[in-house]
Amino acid sequence: MRVLVILFVVVAIGPAIIVDALARVLDRRRLRQVLRTRVARCDAQHPVELVGAWTCPSCHAPFEGHGFGPCPHCGEVAYGLPCPCSRIVVNPLAEIGP
Ligand SMILES: [Zn+2]
Ligand SMILES: [Zn+2]
């Protein structure tokens, strides 16, 4: 009986753990790809520098680095960065948590 319970738990929870681990691996790969990009383009194709000095939208602390990366102080990921033409370049990582 105990074996059946263990088997049930493995079959019930196992796939969820595997899917979760796979999602984490893909998220990390996407994070690395995005953080390698140094220039993004707004909808009007203006280049927007991604590496520089930023202010965190959540804790308002200034930091140097990648504008799409997590804030080194609180881990917040900016939704997007402003282009001088007033459009927003949306951060492809915005929906990924810290
Ligand atoms: Zn912050
Ligand atoms: Zn623009």
Side-chain angles (χ1 to χ4, degrees):
M1 188 61 200
R2 186 180 277 175
V3 173
L4 272 180
V5 171
I6 292 171
L7 199 68
F8 174 76
V9 168
V10 168
V11 168
I13 300 175
I17 293 172
I18 292 168
V19 167
D20 191 55
L22 201 67
R24 278 169 197 270
V25 167
L26 292 176
D27 279 358
R28 247 180 263 144
R29 182 183 292 174
R30 196 146 139 239
L31 178 70
R32 276 200 304 269
Q33 276 174 354
V34 170
L35 296 186
R36 264 202 301 263
T37 311
R38 299 186 72 84
V39 175
R41 294 198 177 260
C42 77
D43 287 342
Q45 299 302 310
H46 304 127
V48 177
E49 281 285 337
L50 299 177
V51 179
W54 307 102
T55 301
C56 172
S58 178
C59 71
H60 304 291
F63 67 95
E64 295 263 337
H66 202 287
F68 284 165
C71 166
H73 306 287
C74 72
E76 177 74 12
V77 175
Y79 171 72
L81 298 174
C83 178
C85 75
S86 82
R87 289 176 176 87
I88 297 281
V89 180
V90 176
N91 184 351
L93 303 175
E95 75 274 20
I96 300 175

